[in-house]
Amino acid sequence: MHIKKTHLLLVFWGILFAIVSRVFLAKFGIPSLFLYPEYLGQVDFTSHFLLGFSSGGFIIAFNIASYISNGFRFPFIATLAKPFIKYTLNNSIIPLSFLSVYVYQLIQFQLNSELEPIESVSINVLGFLVGNVFFIALSLMYFLGTNKDIFKFLGNDSTNKKQVSNPVEGILHKQEKWHKIFNQDREWHIETYLTSPFKIALARDGKHYKRTTLAKVFSQNHINASIFEILVIASVIIIGTFRENSYFVIPAGASIMLLFSMITMVISAVHSWVKGWSNAILVGVIIAVNLLSQNDRFNYTNYAYGLNYNTEKAEYTNAKLRALANDDKKALLDFKSGISILNNWRKKNFKKGSVKPNLILVATSGGGLRSALWTCKALQHIDNLTEVDLMNNIHLFTGSSGGMVGAAYMREMYLKNETIQGASHLDNISADILNPIAFSMAVSDPFIRFQEFNDGNFSYTKDRGYIFEEQLNRNLNQCFRKRLSDYAAPEYNAEIPMMILSPTVANDGRKILISPQDIGYMSNTSMKAKEDNFFSTDAVEFRNLLKNQMADSLRFSSALRMSATFPYVMANATLPTEPSIEIMDAGVRDNTGIFVALRYLHTFRNWINTNTSGVIILQISDTPKDVRINDGPTKSIFENLKGPFGGFYGNWSNMQKLNQEEIIHYSNSWFDVPFNVVDLELYHNKENYISLSWHLTQAEKQKVLNSILSKQNKKAFSKIEELLD
């Protein structure tokens, strides 16, 4: 029946089956939201109960939608006691199959990926099943107590009696004329049905009943279904409204189930009203919503917190960017300031009579929490391995996404005079962020956008960008509740390494360079034949572009978020420019930050040759350095069709690596002093994959930490020790 008539309902089941089986979105850690749910920071009986409770809600929603859409095809059901419960029982193949797969995958995942003991897994599974059964039992009790069967209509049936219109049903479901309800499609012939889980009965002939009476049974049942739908929609709104209260932040998997339940209800309501036109109406609604979203009144802006969006917007045109890039006076002043920072760094690391210090730069790749954890672990290990004060010797951090989050955390601990060593730092940086983001995406962002918060004199809309920053600060003991300007003096005085964030402008692909320092020399084009006006700068200085929009007041957490804006997971931040520009992940242009690092080195190459013993670039990568060679099996028609595009996008990471190797090769010629690049690689492959996500399983965390011991990394650490000694 569902394969033939209700394809949309099957879509949700297909998505859920694929997620819990870890064949869909596993690369981004989404299955863990369903297989290892977290509530109030704990994974326990309660969190699994809530997940089971919501999955029970989806099962009931599915049955209600199916009953409303297809119940009339089986008129004999209206002649039975408890017709909806009978329908649900005979419609249980898909839900029971799903629950079987779900429980199996949940057990396997928690034992093998989260390394939970069997006792904990048993309790968790029990919590899930209890929650599921509890919701289904409550729902069936409700329908059992409120639904009327044919026996309650017999004796007082009259075709001349006016049927009272119900406002609830009138809103969500179209009232049907009695003589039409069984003519929408031909009735399906049924021989037998399940009258109980273990008993089969013959389907009775209902021709001796009045069609009006049968229609009343379905109509009254639809009324109760409508009330259930209203409750589901109301629960989504309530949970989203109170998302600031941690008790309302249910597990993300549960919120996704709740969202699917609501959409299922909406689909059933649309089908009830328009019947065969439902697919066409759905397509029309999607097109209409898309058109409305282009209007500012219906489009929500994701903000970079701290910036002034109420003043005149900054001009963002090729002419303006060229003028900023060709400002030689500013570039020279910024260059002199950069020299002063380098001199301050040299004073800290050079004592009279000793060898000139090595200038250390760290280029750390993006990759969600795996990169953040790997960066922290690598820096800890180097600091422990050598007698050199590592954070004191590092001059500059570049990179993207999670890698820069990890580097910023280590830097902040150093600034606070805390040791960068310690397992607690690793626990903090690898703590889950995905769960609240997914919750916001499923429950809040699509519907609840009226909530705001104040930052200084400005108000901003709360969305998953806000949730990301709040959760990040919560995990890291509020260490990033600072402004960009708060780091200006410590960087200038070389108390901490400089940090240049380089997210990508989605509108044109340029880098936007975020630093508390004046770094006009990073985008200056005076050496690029500017008089011919054919050169377009590929980088824009953030503080120079938005100086009138209070760039220095930018929250540092917002700067990190813009650098880590992975598509779809995070919304692109919009900057106060004209035209408006959106900012996305730094990894789109330079996932390792190596191009930014080399541009900086080229600018100050003369000073480096005079004042250092050499350059050391520590390249901390979340993937093996070797270029991946994809298998080439016999291609199907679909594989051939996607080949040209899939080959390009599938090799995007490889192409970045090859480009980086090429520029590193040429950059060696800039220096008279030794130039060394040391690669620290997080090893994993297709069979032993670590998810690109803001959530890591316990097994994945262990894989990251154990990468320190790989043969390749042992060689790299030995080389670092030799260079620093």
Side-chain angles (χ1 to χ4, degrees):
M1 178 186 70
H2 292 294
I3 294 175
K4 185 177 180 180
K5 292 294 182 180
T6 51
H7 306 125
L8 288 177
L9 295 181
L10 292 182
V11 169
F12 296 109
W13 284 117
I15 293 173
L16 291 174
F17 267 106
I19 289 176
V20 301
S21 300
R22 290 180 282 175
V23 298
F24 181 56
L25 299 177
K27 182 179 180 180
F28 307 111
I30 300 301
S32 65
L33 301 176
F34 292 82
L35 302 175
Y36 200 64
E38 185 176 302
Y39 178 64
L40 298 177
Q42 300 292 324
V43 179
D44 52 18
F45 180 93
T46 303
S47 66
H48 285 78
F49 177 88
L50 291 172
L51 185 60
F53 191 84
S54 65
S55 67
F58 178 69
I59 290 173
I60 292 298
F62 163 71
N63 280 293
I64 289 174
S66 180
Y67 184 63
I68 290 171
S69 301
N70 300 300
F72 68 88
R73 305 184 196 280
F74 315 105
F76 82 94
I77 290 181
T79 69
L80 305 176
K82 312 176 187 65
F84 175 71
I85 295 179
K86 294 290 195 308
Y87 185 93
T88 299
L89 177 63
N90 286 269
N91 196 44
S92 61
I93 294 177
I94 296 176
L96 288 176
S97 300
F98 174 73
L99 290 176
S100 300
V101 172
Y102 201 153
V103 171
Y104 173 79
Q105 291 292 340
L106 188 147
I107 294 171
Q108 292 296 315
F109 183 83
Q110 296 194 7
L111 288 175
N112 301 324
S113 297
E114 294 294 348
L115 309 179
E116 289 281 357
I118 186 65
E119 296 82 6
S120 298
V121 175
S122 301
I123 294 173
N124 293 339
V125 171
L126 179 64
F128 174 80
L129 293 175
V130 169
N132 189 274
V133 172
F134 185 67
F135 187 95
I136 293 175
L138 283 179
S139 301
L140 294 182
M141 287 174 62
Y142 163 76
F143 286 110
L144 185 62
T146 58
N147 278 7
K148 294 182 180 180
D149 54 37
I150 193 167
F151 305 105
K152 294 181 181 179
F153 286 99
L154 292 176
N156 60 357
D157 187 23
S158 174
T159 56
N160 298 321
K161 189 176 181 180
K162 283 188 177 182
Q163 189 171 345
V164 179
S165 175
N166 187 290
V168 173
E169 186 182 21
I171 294 173
L172 292 179
H173 299 289
K174 186 178 180 180
Q175 293 280 0
E176 297 289 346
K177 298 290 185 181
W178 71 267
H179 57 82
K180 292 183 178 181
I181 192 168
F182 298 107
N183 296 326
Q184 298 163 6
D185 199 356
R186 67 188 182 103
E187 299 172 11
W188 290 17
H189 180 71
I190 302 296
E191 291 285 347
T192 59
Y193 70 99
L194 288 173
T195 187
S196 70
F198 307 103
K199 185 178 180 181
I200 299 175
L202 293 173
R204 68 171 69 177
D205 187 0
K207 292 182 179 180
H208 58 284
Y209 293 107
K210 294 180 180 180
R211 289 277 176 121
T212 53
T213 306
L214 299 180
K216 284 181 180 181
V217 175
F218 285 115
S219 179
Q220 194 276 335
N221 290 180
H222 289 183
I223 293 174
N224 293 328
S226 301
I227 295 173
F228 180 90
E229 294 175 353
I230 292 174
L231 292 175
V232 170
I233 296 171
S235 62
V236 172
I237 296 173
I238 292 172
I239 291 174
T241 303
F242 293 96
R243 61 182 170 180
E244 293 297 302
N245 189 319
S246 58
Y247 289 96
F248 283 86
V249 184
I250 62 176
S255 63
I256 294 172
M257 287 280 195
L258 190 60
L259 176 64
F260 281 8
S261 300
M262 191 189 72
I263 297 175
T264 300
M265 297 290 91
V266 172
I267 290 174
S268 74
V270 171
H271 181 81
S272 176
W273 274 92
V274 298
K275 299 297 184 289
W277 289 91
S278 56
N279 291 336
I281 295 295
L282 181 62
V283 172
V285 169
I286 293 173
I287 295 174
V289 170
N290 180 65
L291 292 174
L292 287 173
S293 66
Q294 300 176 27
N295 190 304
D296 291 339
R297 294 182 178 181
F298 299 95
N299 191 22
Y300 295 99
T301 299
N302 182 275
Y303 298 98
Y305 309 131
L307 296 182
N308 184 358
Y309 288 80
N310 300 327
T311 189
E312 183 180 359
K313 295 183 178 181
E315 181 185 349
Y316 191 90
T317 61
N318 286 325
K320 179 64 176 180
L321 298 181
R322 190 176 294 113
L324 294 175
N326 290 342
D327 190 347
D328 293 341
K329 183 178 179 180
K330 181 183 184 304
L332 181 59
L333 290 173
D334 294 354
F335 176 81
K336 291 180 178 180
S337 177
I339 292 292
S340 296
I341 296 173
L342 284 166
N343 286 332
N344 291 335
W345 172 86
R346 184 177 182 274
K347 288 177 184 177
K348 287 186 64 177
N349 292 281
F350 178 69
K351 301 190 183 320
K352 190 175 181 179
S354 65
V355 178
K356 296 176 182 177
N358 286 293
L359 187 73
I360 303 176
L361 286 79
V362 176
T364 177
S365 74
L369 279 191
R370 74 185 185 196
S371 285
L373 179 59
W374 175 234
T375 299
C376 290
K377 182 61 179 178
L379 293 175
Q380 282 187 349
H381 193 74
I382 297 171
D383 184 71
N384 187 57
L385 189 68
T386 67
E387 297 181 0
V388 172
D389 186 348
L390 180 64
M391 295 299 290
N392 201 46
N393 277 257
I394 296 174
H395 175 66
L396 176 66
F397 283 113
T398 63
S400 71
S401 191
M404 290 298 273
V405 173
Y409 181 49
M410 291 287 98
R411 187 179 76 152
E412 186 64 28
M413 294 301 98
Y414 186 77
L415 179 61
K416 292 181 176 181
N417 292 319
E418 295 185 19
T419 176
I420 67 171
Q421 300 293 333
S424 63
H425 297 328
L426 302 180
D427 291 337
N428 293 340
I429 197 64
S430 60
D432 173 75
I433 304 177
L434 182 60
N435 197 75
I437 292 176
F439 173 83
S440 183
M441 290 178 65
V443 175
S444 303
D445 284 13
F447 315 106
I448 315 292
R449 292 291 188 96
F450 57 82
Q451 292 181 315
E452 296 183 343
F453 73 100
N454 294 324
D455 183 78
N457 297 321
F458 308 114
S459 295
Y460 306 97
T461 304
K462 292 181 179 179
D463 54 18
R464 61 185 181 275
Y466 170 81
I467 295 298
F468 172 87
E469 294 186 30
E470 289 297 301
Q471 188 63 44
L472 180 64
N473 275 308
R474 195 175 295 118
N475 292 349
L476 304 181
N477 300 316
Q478 311 298 327
C479 75
F480 292 143
R481 290 203 181 278
K482 291 185 173 183
R483 306 291 179 181
L484 187 63
S485 59
D486 291 332
Y487 293 100
E491 286 190 7
Y492 186 87
N493 297 324
E495 298 172 25
I496 55 174
M498 288 178 59
M499 180 170 281
I500 300 177
L501 296 160
S502 54
T504 308
V505 180
N507 304 56
D508 55 23
R510 290 182 168 99
K511 298 187 189 77
I512 187 159
L513 303 176
I514 304 176
S515 169
Q517 308 303 323
D518 293 316
I519 54 173
Y521 50 81
M522 294 290 290
S523 59
N524 184 254
T525 61
S526 59
M527 304 298 293
K528 305 285 187 179
K530 65 182 181 181
E531 63 275 5
D532 295 332
N533 289 324
F534 67 85
F535 180 79
S536 295
T537 180
D538 73 331
V540 184
E541 186 186 2
F542 176 84
R543 290 176 60 251
N544 195 25
L545 175 69
L546 300 173
K547 59 185 177 182
N548 295 328
Q549 289 73 34
M550 300 178 59
D552 282 328
S553 295
L554 176 72
R555 281 188 177 185
F556 188 66
S557 57
S558 289
L560 290 173
R561 168 167 61 91
M562 287 191 287
S563 176
T565 303
F566 193 84
Y568 302 112
V569 177
M570 300 291 293
N572 292 348
T574 300
L575 298 184
T577 61
E578 183 58 46
S580 296
I581 59 173
E582 293 187 352
I583 307 301
M584 60 190 303
D585 200 289
V588 175
R589 280 286 307 276
D590 185 9
N591 192 48
T592 64
I594 196 68
F595 289 103
V596 174
L598 292 176
R599 181 176 296 187
Y600 182 89
L601 291 174
H602 183 267
T603 302
F604 297 103
R605 60 192 181 281
N606 293 330
W607 186 95
I608 293 170
N609 286 327
T610 303
N611 295 278
T612 73
S613 293
V615 174
I616 302 174
I617 296 181
L618 302 179
Q619 194 166 240
I620 304 175
S621 177
D622 74 320
T623 57
K625 187 177 180 180
D626 284 342
V627 172
R628 181 185 68 256
I629 302 175
N630 296 318
D631 296 332
T634 303
K635 295 182 177 180
S636 66
I637 295 175
F638 291 111
E639 288 175 328
N640 281 317
L641 288 173
K642 75 172 187 177
F645 302 99
F648 175 79
Y649 290 107
N651 289 307
W652 166 80
S653 178
N654 286 345
M655 289 186 285
Q656 282 209 358
K657 290 178 182 179
L658 294 171
N659 289 335
Q660 291 161 9
E661 289 296 310
E662 184 178 15
I663 189 65
I664 288 174
H665 173 74
Y666 289 116
S667 61
N668 191 43
S669 63
W670 303 340
F671 303 102
D672 301 326
V673 295
F675 179 81
N676 291 279
V677 179
V678 184
D679 295 298
L680 301 172
E681 306 170 8
L682 177 59
Y683 181 80
H684 56 114
N685 53 29
K686 189 176 181 180
E687 292 74 30
N688 196 31
Y689 189 74
I690 303 173
S691 61
L692 178 62
S693 172
W694 290 109
H695 175 89
L696 294 176
T697 67
Q698 292 301 320
E700 288 175 330
K701 293 177 185 179
Q702 202 58 52
K703 291 175 188 176
V704 173
L705 300 179
N706 290 341
S707 289
I708 290 291
L709 305 175
S710 72
K711 184 178 179 179
Q712 179 64 34
N713 285 327
K714 284 182 177 179
K715 290 182 179 179
F717 287 123
S718 296
K719 184 177 181 180
I720 293 171
E721 190 174 12
E722 179 184 345
L723 290 171
L724 294 182
D725 286 347

